[in-house]
Amino acid sequence: MVQVIPGTTTKTIASKQICQFFEQTPSQNGVFYTGYPIIGTANGAFPIDSILLSPTYGIVIINLIEGKDKDGYEDLQDESYNKMEAKLKNYKELTDKKNLIVPISVVTFAPAIHSITENSTDADYPIYTQDTIGKIFDDLSTTVKSNSMEEEDFKKVVSVVQSISTVRKNTSARKTTKSDSRGTILKGIEDSIANLDVHQSRAVIETVDGVQRIRGLAGSGKTVILALKAAYLHAQHPDWKIAVTFNTRALKNQIKEFISTFYIEQTNQYPDWDNLNIIHAWGAPGGGEKDGLYYQFCKAQDINTYKDFRSASLNFGYENAFEGACREALQNMSTPVGKYDVILVDEAQDFSKYFFRICYNLIKRDKRLVYAYDELQSLTGNNLPSPEKLFGKDEAGRPLVKFDPVNYPSQDIVLETCYRNPRPILVTAHALGFGIYRDEDSRIGTGLVQMFDNKDLWEEVGYNNESGTIDYGKPVLLKRGIDSSPRFLENHSPVDDLIVFKKFADGHSQANWLIKEIKKNLEKDELLPKDIIVINPDPKSTKDAVGYARKELFSMGINSHIAGVSTSPDEFYSDNSVTFTGIYRAKGNEAAMVYVINAQDCFKSLGGLQTVRNRLFTAITRSKAWVRVIGVGNDMEGLISEYEKVKSHDFTLDFTYPTEEQLQKIKLINRDMSEAEKNQVIKVNEDIGNVVSSLNSGRINIKDISEEQRIALIQLAKQLNGEE
């Protein structure tokens, strides 16, 4: 069937009708776009009205006429053909000597014209009405010279038309001499990840006059998609004010590079950065790089509630600083001030509902807001609520945002295919992140650390339940298929090389092993420094934790840096330098070889187990080829034990889905706690321990405890035993 992906266009009626035609044509294959692509020319952007990419017919450009005036349609067909041919001939892989490997056809669709006589048109310039469009495939069969494109050739054509080929390509100079080195393997992987799939294409191109949500696993392309969507909207609507925002400052340059590459390839021009802002979420006075959406909101409201991180931390606590600042600003809001036509939010799982409401109030009338997230990558321990709860209610008590999945499926797009992580790495990250094979917690009756609120989400993100339907309290066996986890991502290396878990006696031994391995990666494996990331899960200890290793590497002539510390906060990678980083700056970035050090810190935690497990998940899923998870002590032994169970289950998730009661206990027991709450829990446990010890040893008699306290203890004991 033809996958129909409608984009933004001024020819709304003709566009809607041609989409309906292809949606009702199940006998054909391919991808059909409206409002896409945009071709860069010497005179700027040249938008294509609509296009069919077909393995049978090649490229079919369909120009649209919105009204009844068809004058000059022949010239437009010629121009469309010439612009497309010129674009494609820039790509050597699409040519055979002087000829393109793909046929190009151009036709016109004019649904408002009721009849067109054969004598009034030129056979070389086909034009169809609502009544005659059904003949298009019969006509193409007689005019297209070749109707048997090879699958690989068709993929190349799709890649070029999507303009994703240069965005995905690693621009670093990679010279390899060994056919089996990691560097050579990496080249092959990068060349294979060329095309956007249909879900990604839809997320980039389909535009909603309202709120749009994009959900996907780590490595499903969310950051690339948001960048391409911003560039696409900017090309189609250069007068719109567009903002792209994010939580991790180290993503800024990467997002800017994606947008620039895509926009230049589409339009042959540079973006207008006055209208397309890549802007921090927080911000500060001073303008330029310091600007941020929260600061703009405070400034637009003319309120004196702006707080920097220091003052917000003092008022609302270190962990809740930004949430508290946003909440206070909203409480003092007078009138919403629309500044942007579109706001796109990456890493949405790390923002509170108050920041989303600030964004909502910064958007003009149509409220075009796009947010992308992966709930398991939340480093705050919070899950995003539904759109209805996220954006709040109007004065009449009605939700400001409500999704309609039946009539408007593009409001909520789920990306099920992972194009970064090999399947064993992704499944291992999920198993450890959720605690699938963790020893049972007797208070809950399961070892699970967390679980999706929506049990069907497992299948939406690419897992198949081999046991049938996922249901509460029932066994499940979740497995990733080849569609959701392409096998070329893992077939290049044996499993025991894709993933290594290793325990050391102490931190010094861990660091020495790390140094030796990095040296080997650079000298023998033919990897580049930018191919290596070393991640410390604890964001507060990174500088001290990596100091010795960096010093020793430097003595060997190997440069390294701590992202955002020894470089600009907006930079993550640095030329000819290995990246060391804490977990927060690692988010959204990737590398071929990832080292997760001090992983033992993610095994257990009082008040925040979900958070530390999410840190481990996020760190592991930065890898697009190989990962090494290393640490010290008994807790590292515990992680290794969990990994061995994942491996023995052939990288599937085999567990009993928690009951609804267990889900509530999982959230309660593994919840995040403030330091004060943790201290209170520790103190209460110590006090109870002292009481029990004193009673058992005879230091005090049960009669020494007041009747009121004894009754309270009995009631508590009954509750603990589930009697009440």
Side-chain angles (χ1 to χ4, degrees):
M1 62 180 294
V2 176
Q3 298 287 342
V4 177
I5 302 175
T8 178
T9 174
T10 58
K11 301 178 180 180
T12 53
I13 297 175
S15 176
K16 183 177 181 180
Q17 289 179 320
I18 193 67
C19 285
Q20 288 175 344
F21 167 73
F22 281 107
E23 286 169 347
Q24 296 166 5
T25 311
S27 59
Q28 301 296 328
N29 292 317
V31 186
F32 177 73
Y33 301 96
T34 60
Y36 188 81
I38 303 165
I39 299 175
T41 72
N43 297 319
F46 182 83
I48 297 293
D49 288 343
S50 63
I51 189 171
L52 172 67
L53 306 180
S54 165
T56 304
Y57 305 106
I59 292 177
V60 183
I61 299 170
I62 305 178
N63 291 339
L64 304 177
I65 295 177
E66 191 79 337
K68 295 184 177 182
D69 183 6
K70 66 181 180 65
D71 288 348
Y73 86 93
E74 299 97 337
D75 292 338
L76 284 174
Q77 284 196 16
D78 288 339
E79 189 174 15
S80 299
Y81 182 96
N82 292 333
K83 294 286 195 296
M84 180 60 71
E85 183 186 48
K87 174 184 175 69
L88 300 185
K89 282 193 171 180
N90 286 324
Y91 296 85
K92 186 177 179 181
E93 65 267 30
L94 298 187
T95 60
D96 180 12
K97 297 180 180 178
K98 297 179 181 179
N99 302 314
L100 284 172
I101 63 173
V102 56
I104 302 174
S105 305
V106 185
V107 304
T108 299
F109 178 56
I113 299 176
H114 294 295
S115 63
I116 297 175
T117 63
E118 292 184 5
N119 294 333
S120 67
T121 61
D122 187 332
D124 291 333
Y125 296 92
I127 183 168
Y128 299 94
T129 67
Q130 187 73 29
D131 295 331
T132 61
I133 187 65
K135 294 173 51 185
I136 185 172
F137 292 113
D138 290 336
D139 294 344
L140 286 169
S141 297
T142 63
T143 58
V144 175
K145 294 180 181 179
S146 172
N147 62 355
S148 58
M149 285 190 69
E150 296 290 337
E151 182 179 356
E152 288 304 311
D153 288 341
F154 181 65
K155 286 182 178 179
K156 293 174 186 176
V157 171
V158 173
S159 176
V160 169
V161 171
Q162 289 177 341
S163 298
I164 190 66
S165 53
T166 54
V167 175
R168 295 280 197 187
K169 194 173 293 181
N170 190 323
T171 56
S172 302
R174 188 184 302 283
K175 297 179 181 179
T176 60
T177 59
K178 306 171 187 175
S179 61
D180 59 347
S181 71
R182 296 191 195 279
T184 300
I185 290 171
L186 189 56
K187 264 187 176 181
I189 295 171
E190 290 167 346
D191 290 343
S192 296
I193 306 173
N195 293 346
L196 292 171
D197 65 24
V198 171
H199 297 289
Q200 291 175 318
S201 296
R202 177 168 286 114
V204 170
I205 297 166
E206 286 196 32
T207 304
V208 175
D209 287 335
V211 175
Q212 185 180 39
R213 177 173 69 179
I214 301 171
R215 294 178 286 160
L217 299 174
S220 58
K222 297 181 296 297
T223 298
V224 171
I225 285 168
L226 278 190
L228 300 192
K229 192 174 188 74
Y232 170 67
L233 292 173
H234 182 48
Q236 287 285 54
H237 306 281
D239 57 323
W240 280 8
K241 289 284 186 180
I242 300 172
V244 184
T245 192
F246 39 85
N247 186 55
T248 303
R249 290 189 63 178
L251 276 178
K252 183 171 184 177
N253 285 345
Q254 182 186 123
I255 291 174
K256 188 170 185 177
E257 182 180 345
F258 284 156
I259 290 174
S260 296
T261 302
F262 184 78
Y263 189 83
I264 291 169
E265 184 158 343
Q266 287 279 306
T267 67
N268 210 31
Q269 296 177 326
Y270 287 99
D272 178 358
W273 298 116
D274 289 333
N275 281 349
L276 178 53
N277 302 151
I278 306 172
I279 187 168
H280 300 137
W282 198 314
E289 294 298 308
K290 293 184 177 181
D291 206 1
L293 290 182
Y294 160 71
Y295 173 71
Q296 287 183 352
F297 178 79
C298 292
K299 185 178 178 182
Q301 295 297 323
D302 194 27
I303 52 181
N304 296 317
T305 57
Y306 169 79
K307 286 182 169 58
D308 59 18
F309 178 72
R310 184 173 180 275
S311 59
S313 296
L314 290 173
N315 280 268
F316 311 113
Y318 180 88
E319 298 293 342
N320 299 310
F322 191 43
E323 178 180 342
C326 291
R327 181 177 65 247
E328 182 182 73
L330 283 164
Q331 289 169 348
N332 289 278
M333 180 180 72
S334 53
T335 305
V337 179
K339 179 180 176 65
Y340 293 100
D341 295 281
V342 188
I343 293 179
L344 301 100
V345 183
D346 196 14
E347 303 177 300
Q349 71 274 355
D350 287 335
F351 291 116
S352 72
K353 63 183 179 182
Y354 304 109
F355 177 70
F356 277 91
R357 294 175 186 182
I358 280 178
C359 291
Y360 193 82
N361 284 291
L362 281 170
I363 302 173
K364 298 176 185 177
R365 182 183 59 192
D366 289 322
K367 300 299 182 185
R368 300 183 189 93
L369 188 149
V370 185
Y371 63 102
Y373 71 102
D374 171 6
E375 283 185 322
L376 198 58
Q377 287 193 70
S378 172
L379 301 181
T380 62
N382 299 318
N383 292 327
L384 274 184
S386 66
E388 290 84 355
K389 294 180 180 178
L390 195 60
F391 294 95
K393 299 178 180 180
D394 62 16
E395 294 178 355
R398 295 168 300 197
L400 289 169
V401 177
K402 190 172 183 180
F403 284 177
D404 183 353
V406 176
N407 296 315
Y408 301 100
S410 57
Q411 281 185 300
D412 187 17
I413 295 175
V414 179
L415 307 172
E416 66 175 32
T417 304
C418 176
Y419 290 103
R420 177 195 299 151
N421 313 128
R423 177 185 56 93
I425 289 178
L426 180 62
V427 176
T428 296
H430 275 134
L432 297 178
F434 282 96
I436 300 293
Y437 298 111
R438 178 171 167 262
D439 288 343
E440 181 182 304
D441 185 328
S442 59
R443 298 170 296 175
I444 307 174
T446 176
L448 292 169
V449 171
Q450 56 190 321
M451 188 53 56
F452 292 136
D453 289 332
N454 176 10
K455 56 186 173 60
D456 297 327
L457 189 57
W458 281 107
E459 293 177 328
E460 291 178 5
V461 297
Y463 281 91
N464 299 316
N465 183 22
E466 304 291 298
S467 300
T469 303
I470 298 176
D471 206 356
Y472 299 113
K474 302 294 184 182
V476 294
L477 177 60
L478 300 176
K479 184 177 181 181
R480 294 190 68 78
I482 58 175
D483 290 335
S484 58
S485 283
R487 292 303 187 256
F488 72 83
L489 291 170
E490 63 180 275
N491 289 340
H492 56 79
S493 302
V495 165
D496 288 337
D497 187 34
L498 290 174
I499 313 175
V500 173
F501 276 70
K502 199 170 181 65
K503 173 192 168 185
F504 295 89
D506 51 51
H508 192 73
S509 302
Q510 176 186 237
N512 283 330
W513 183 87
L514 173 68
I515 294 162
K516 180 182 175 183
E517 290 298 304
I518 291 175
K519 186 172 186 290
K520 177 176 174 288
N521 293 155
L522 298 174
E523 294 179 356
K524 295 183 179 180
D525 295 337
E526 299 188 311
L527 292 180
L528 300 172
K530 292 178 74 170
D531 295 326
I532 303 170
I533 298 177
V534 181
I535 303 174
N536 182 56
D538 181 357
K540 297 179 182 179
S541 67
T542 300
K543 189 174 180 180
D544 292 335
V546 304
Y548 171 73
R550 291 188 64 222
K551 178 183 176 183
E552 291 301 306
L553 287 171
F554 183 75
S555 70
M556 299 175 182
I558 298 173
N559 294 326
S560 70
H561 65 282
I562 302 176
V565 177
S566 47
T567 63
S568 160
D570 296 335
E571 293 181 2
F572 186 77
Y573 306 99
S574 182
D575 290 338
N576 197 34
S577 178
V578 174
T579 304
F580 285 76
T581 181
I583 190 60
Y584 287 118
R585 293 192 182 276
K587 290 186 81 260
N589 293 289
E590 63 182 29
M593 178 65 76
V594 169
Y595 293 93
V596 184
I597 63 173
N598 297 321
Q600 74 279 350
D601 292 340
C602 299
F603 179 64
K604 63 185 180 184
S605 173
L606 171 63
L609 184 55
Q610 289 183 3
T611 296
V612 297
R613 286 296 178 122
N614 284 351
R615 289 175 183 174
L616 182 60
F617 170 85
T618 301
I620 291 173
T621 54
R622 298 310 90 205
S623 169
K624 59 182 181 180
W626 307 278
V627 65
R628 276 70 180 117
V629 183
I630 58 178
V632 301
N634 292 333
D635 286 347
M636 187 62 205
E637 194 77 48
L639 279 183
I640 292 173
S641 175
E642 288 185 41
Y643 167 67
E644 290 299 334
K645 291 175 184 176
V646 186
K647 185 178 175 183
S648 68
H649 283 78
D650 194 25
F651 299 98
T652 61
L653 305 179
D654 187 357
F655 64 104
T656 298
Y657 209 87
T659 64
E660 293 183 78
E661 181 184 359
Q662 285 176 320
L663 283 172
Q664 296 306 313
K665 289 182 179 179
I666 288 169
K667 291 180 180 180
L668 176 65
I669 291 173
N670 298 325
R671 73 189 186 281
D672 268 11
M673 298 182 191
S674 66
E675 287 303 315
E677 288 174 315
K678 291 179 187 177
N679 291 335
Q680 183 68 20
V681 169
I682 292 170
K683 184 177 185 303
V684 167
N685 275 285
E686 289 176 347
D687 290 346
I688 292 174
N690 289 334
V691 170
V692 172
S693 175
S694 297
L695 287 170
N696 286 336
S697 66
R699 291 195 299 273
I700 63 172
N701 190 283
I702 190 68
K703 299 294 185 182
D704 295 333
I705 300 175
S706 69
E707 183 178 358
E708 181 181 359
Q709 294 284 18
R710 274 185 286 152
I711 292 172
L713 286 173
I714 291 169
Q715 292 298 323
L716 284 172
K718 287 182 178 180
Q719 289 181 29
L720 289 172
N721 289 326
E723 295 176 22
E724 291 187 1

